[in-house]
Amino acid sequence: MQVTCFVDATIIEIQTPQLIHHGKIDFLVFDYLSEITMSLLTAAKQKNPAMGYAPDFIHFSLAPYLKTIKEKKIRVVSNAGGINPLSCAEVLKKLSQEAGVDMNIAVVTGDNLMPKVKEISQSNIQEMSSGMKIPKTIHSMNAYLGAGPIARALDLGADIVVTGRCVDSALVLGPLIHAFKYNNSNFDQLASASLAGHIIECGAQATGGVFTDWQTVHNWDNIGFPIVEFSANGSFSVSKPPSTGGLVSKGTVCEQLLYEIGDPKNYILPDIICDFSQVQVSESGKDNVQVKGALGKPPTNDYKVTATYADGYRVTAVTCIGGPQAEEKAKKTMDAILKRCRNIFKQLKLGDFTRVNIEILGSESKYENNKEPRQLAVWMAAHHPKKQALEILSREIAPAGTGMAPGLTAIAGGRPRVSPVLKLFSFLYPKDELQVQIYMNGELKESYQPSEYSPTSKENVSESSANSEESNLPTGNCEFYLKDLAYTRSGDKGNSVNIGVVARHPSYLPYLRAALTESAVEKYFSFLFEDDDDGERVTRYDVPGINAMNFVLHNCLGGGGIASLRSDPQGKALGQHLLNFKITNVPDLLSENL
């Protein structure tokens, strides 16, 4: 049984035929959604009730290949339905009929909670991490559904399954439940299938994309997308189509295993609570990796729901400045622009900026590098409750080119555009209060209700590894950068970020654990945290199965996503920054493991 995942809509015309012609696959999986995408699709549907789905899925991913997909008996699963999966399926059905291809197209609905927004707003719902009450300006609200209804739709004979919001890994778990007839008590198999979905949910990130050792990955222009071959016992392999670029190795798969997760012992999904801490990853040939050892526990009786709400406006300007003292000129210029705007705001009684973020990209000042660069990029972003105020800022940037520092060149993209800010609000919602329905070819087939379980006991909840410090390690006179000893990968969850650190050799791990304590990582990234944040900042979890650690940096992204004013709002580069962390006073580790 083989399953493959496709994600990147920018190169569909290359990757879809690559997979259907050379992948020898049974299921083709397309993952399109993020929290912000859901909000954008909600806005699209408000403008046009027939929209609200990902049109690229229909017109570029499937329409040109429907006959081949049908001939090869490949079945398709995608969350491209977004906020309007029924309309997505209707258009897809019409195109398949025009192509003379008979397709059974199923739709899973029920994730959209906007029809219940008034009822939910009047309840005592609180945000999961902050405890804040639900805001009045809710823009979108979607539950993360699981794999059960996808599997059921396939049982009913669907050739294509279109869903709205669901957890990304469910797009793979659903076909595997269907193929192997797993039941709700096959906990370890469900966890392993979820891990398979998690590893390939971001497409080429498992096949060499954004890999720490990027220099070793070739032919990015034709990078192969991942294929999972799954066995009934829960073990699986990860590979890619032959004669494609990229790389499938223990390193690429281990990095992706840790991507965007919190506690590896308790990765909570709608269908299963996964324990990935003892997973084993091994290379079994060129571009082929074997994975086994995931464990599962009963799921909770709640869905996670993520809503977005309106919170004022933002504007971002990026410009370049060159010549001697570039950083000083940049700072003085930005300060002058802001001062000019604040004077105008006072006259118009608009109030001050809510938040301002200025970054001098390339200056290295926050990383304690004393080089004086001769050319820099200046990133300035601001937030204000009123659009008018930021339109003033947008206008007042251009005059700096003639009335302020020398060496100011161009504003990237011209005059900056003001855009609304959407923040995330996540909470739990009882599964038995959500009506999930399955349609086939436009007709309602049945409702789906997941099984109930007893609440997960407290002993299933792991704690961080902060109190398990290394002792009695041999010392030495050597010094290494983390990049010499480990791989890293970082990703966001709302306003927090995780950084996975995988030792290149098992013998390095004790030294990494001794050096990369929670306090050391917090100090290294101290510039990320707000001064008034006195809560827990960094949590470290052990992942001994792959000789790794997973760090979660809490509330460090300036709001995260579209709410953040930073140049790296999702923390994608933080794993790379950690590679420059120094491991000191250790033996010559590299020579010992040649």
Side-chain angles (χ1 to χ4, degrees):
M1 175 63 62
Q2 293 186 319
V3 178
T4 186
C5 173
F6 178 82
V7 181
D8 194 339
T10 61
I11 48 175
I12 283 173
E13 295 176 42
I14 297 175
Q15 303 304 340
T16 300
Q18 173 199 100
L19 295 169
I20 63 176
H21 291 303
H22 306 293
K24 297 181 181 179
I25 58 175
D26 298 291
F27 294 94
L28 180 62
V29 179
F30 297 83
D31 179 16
Y32 278 86
L33 301 182
S34 68
E35 290 87 351
I36 298 304
T37 304
M38 292 300 295
S39 184
L40 297 175
L41 293 177
T42 298
K45 187 180 179 184
Q46 289 173 347
K47 293 180 181 179
N48 182 349
M51 296 304 295
Y53 56 86
D56 285 357
F57 166 66
I58 297 173
H59 300 294
F60 297 103
S61 299
L62 286 190
Y65 313 106
L66 285 170
K67 288 185 178 181
T68 302
I69 288 172
K70 184 69 173 181
E71 289 171 359
K72 290 179 173 287
K73 298 181 180 179
I74 297 171
R75 302 171 84 177
V76 177
V77 180
S78 179
N79 57 14
I83 205 71
N84 199 356
L86 288 170
S87 287
C88 179
E90 183 180 351
V91 175
L92 188 56
K93 185 70 174 179
K94 184 180 297 185
L95 289 175
S96 64
Q97 290 172 342
E98 292 175 357
V101 181
D102 183 22
M103 289 284 193
N104 286 323
I105 302 176
V107 173
V108 176
T109 67
D111 63 291
N112 184 12
L113 284 171
M114 283 303 287
K116 290 188 173 184
V117 66
K118 186 175 181 180
E119 171 190 335
I120 293 173
S121 297
Q122 292 172 348
S123 65
N124 196 30
I125 292 291
Q126 293 183 333
E127 210 279 332
M128 290 173 60
S129 58
S130 68
M132 70 176 285
K133 293 182 179 180
I134 191 167
K136 296 180 180 180
T137 55
I138 292 293
H139 186 73
S140 66
M141 184 184 293
N142 297 84
Y144 286 82
L145 300 185
I150 296 173
R152 182 58 185 154
L154 293 168
D155 292 343
L156 293 171
D159 298 303
I160 300 172
V161 182
V162 177
T163 78
R165 196 62 171 117
C166 63
V167 292
D168 298 344
S169 57
L171 300 173
V172 172
L173 175 58
L176 294 176
I177 292 174
H178 162 74
F180 295 112
K181 307 304 177 187
Y182 292 141
N183 59 46
N184 292 332
S185 63
N186 294 128
F187 297 137
D188 292 348
Q189 288 90 343
L190 295 177
S192 186
S194 297
L195 175 58
H198 172 71
I199 286 175
I200 68 174
E201 70 187 29
C202 290
Q205 285 189 190
T207 55
V210 301
F211 183 41
T212 298
D213 294 347
W214 55 270
Q215 305 96 324
T216 65
V217 183
H218 304 295
N219 300 328
W220 289 350
D221 59 300
N222 187 37
I223 195 165
F225 269 49
I227 296 172
V228 157
E229 186 172 359
F230 200 90
S231 300
N233 64 5
S235 64
F236 62 92
S237 67
V238 182
S239 62
K240 63 183 183 68
S243 302
T244 59
L247 171 69
V248 181
S249 68
K250 182 177 179 180
T252 66
V253 172
C254 287
E255 278 193 19
Q256 188 60 22
L257 188 156
L258 296 178
Y259 181 65
E260 292 187 344
I261 68 172
D263 180 355
K265 288 187 178 180
N266 292 280
Y267 185 53
I268 300 175
L269 297 170
D271 305 285
I272 193 74
I273 297 177
C274 304
D275 180 352
F276 296 153
S277 63
Q278 302 299 326
V279 168
Q280 298 176 26
V281 179
S282 60
E283 296 181 6
S284 56
K286 179 177 173 55
D287 292 316
N288 193 294
V289 167
Q290 300 293 316
V291 183
K292 63 180 181 179
L295 302 175
K297 295 172 283 191
T300 70
N301 292 319
D302 297 313
Y303 286 119
K304 179 183 176 182
V305 178
T306 294
T308 59
Y309 65 96
D311 183 44
Y313 297 86
R314 61 168 292 162
V315 68
T316 302
V318 180
T319 187
C320 294
I321 190 166
Q325 296 179 283
E327 183 172 0
E328 290 84 349
K329 290 188 293 187
K331 290 178 179 178
K332 187 171 182 178
T333 299
M334 296 302 110
D335 288 344
I337 292 171
L338 293 174
K339 184 176 181 181
R340 177 180 289 180
C341 289
R342 287 182 169 120
N343 289 335
I344 298 173
F345 292 175
K346 287 180 181 179
Q347 297 173 18
L348 299 178
K349 298 181 180 180
L350 289 174
D352 198 0
F353 297 104
T354 312
R355 290 176 291 138
V356 173
N357 180 56
I358 297 175
E359 298 178 38
I360 315 298
L361 305 179
S363 70
E364 294 291 318
S365 57
K366 62 184 177 183
Y367 303 114
E368 300 180 357
N369 188 321
N370 295 321
K371 292 181 181 179
E372 184 183 346
R374 291 176 291 176
Q375 189 171 21
L376 298 169
V378 186
W379 175 285
M380 180 172 69
H383 178 274
H384 198 283
K386 296 183 179 180
K387 186 176 183 179
Q388 179 189 1
L390 296 183
E391 288 174 339
I392 292 170
L393 173 60
S394 179
R395 291 196 302 268
E396 292 302 322
I397 293 172
T402 56
M404 295 184 187
L408 195 70
T409 59
I411 303 170
R415 178 181 289 184
R417 294 197 310 171
V418 178
S419 58
V421 169
L422 298 171
K423 284 189 173 180
L424 300 183
F425 182 93
S426 299
F427 61 94
L428 299 178
Y429 192 79
K431 289 179 179 176
D432 59 8
E433 294 184 22
L434 204 65
Q435 188 175 29
V436 179
Q437 295 181 320
I438 301 171
Y439 291 78
M440 186 73 74
N441 300 323
E443 296 183 4
L444 177 62
K445 292 291 288 186
E446 60 184 50
S447 296
Y448 175 86
Q449 188 62 47
S451 303
E452 290 190 11
Y453 292 90
S454 300
T456 303
S457 58
K458 288 186 178 180
E459 63 258 25
N460 285 331
V461 179
S462 68
E463 296 180 355
S464 75
S465 60
N467 296 323
S468 179
E469 302 296 343
E470 302 298 313
S471 59
N472 300 320
L473 283 174
T475 59
N477 298 319
C478 292
E479 173 181 288
F480 298 98
Y481 287 107
L482 181 61
K483 64 184 178 182
D484 299 319
L485 307 176
Y487 308 107
T488 63
R489 173 76 58 84
S490 58
D492 67 310
K493 285 293 183 185
N495 193 31
S496 297
V497 68
N498 89 292
I499 305 176
V501 178
V502 183
R504 293 178 183 268
H505 190 278
S507 66
Y508 301 163
L509 185 60
Y511 294 95
L512 297 181
R513 293 191 75 258
L516 289 168
T517 62
E518 291 175 344
S519 58
V521 172
E522 178 182 335
K523 181 179 179 182
Y524 189 79
F525 288 114
S526 60
F527 60 89
L528 293 175
F529 300 98
E530 304 289 343
D531 292 337
D532 58 354
D533 180 13
D534 56 359
E536 182 182 28
R537 290 187 169 184
V538 177
T539 306
R540 185 180 77 176
Y541 299 100
D542 284 327
V543 196
I546 58 171
N547 302 302
M549 299 174 287
N550 189 47
F551 294 88
V552 178
L553 283 62
H554 305 279
N555 301 317
C556 66
L557 296 178
I562 200 170
S564 177
L565 302 182
R566 298 181 183 174
S567 60
D568 185 10
Q570 296 176 298
K572 300 298 185 184
L574 296 182
Q576 289 290 295
H577 290 313
L578 191 59
L579 292 173
N580 283 329
F581 187 96
K582 289 184 179 180
I583 315 294
T584 60
N585 301 318
V586 296
D588 189 356
L589 300 174
L590 297 182
S591 66
E592 291 181 4
N593 292 291
L594 289 176

